[in-house]
Amino acid sequence: MEVIVSQVFQTSLGLIAVLNFPNSVVPMVNMRLIKRDIIYLIKGVQFESPRQNEAMGGRQFSCLLSDNACNLAFGDVLNLAEDE
């Protein structure tokens, strides 16, 4: 399943990305997302959009990501780890 990056912010807490998840997926802490051979770990989640994100076909969540996520940008496509 694909997760699409909508926005990325660097904060004092770390990197926060607004991610568009498919309707069938609810993001959780410690969920792993993969881009090529890089694994990103979700360290925190907050529901972002109370309405469906029709353009992306899913729901938006703000996610605090692991420290190696500094190279993410708008439009990047992440995949859920196989065992998620």
Side-chain angles (χ1 to χ4, degrees), residues 3-17:
V3 176
I4 300 170
V5 178
S6 180
Q7 296 179 8
V8 179
F9 304 96
Q10 184 64 44
T11 70
S12 59
L13 294 174
L15 190 111
I16 295 178

Side-chain angles (χ1 to χ4, degrees), residues 10-60:
Q10 184 64 44
T11 70
S12 59
L13 294 174
L15 190 111
I16 295 178
V18 178
L19 303 175
N20 296 302
F21 283 85
N23 288 326
S24 60
V25 176
V26 176
M28 299 176 292
V29 172
N30 293 326
M31 180 179 276
R32 293 177 297 145
L33 302 169
I34 301 170
K35 177 184 168 191
R36 296 187 203 105
D37 58 345
I38 302 171
I39 297 174
Y40 304 102
L41 186 66
I42 295 178
K43 295 167 47 177
V45 180
Q46 178 178 345
F47 191 56
E48 179 69 22
S49 175
R51 65 189 185 293
Q52 294 292 330
N53 183 349
E54 296 174 13
M56 296 294 191
R59 296 173 296 166
Q60 290 185 335

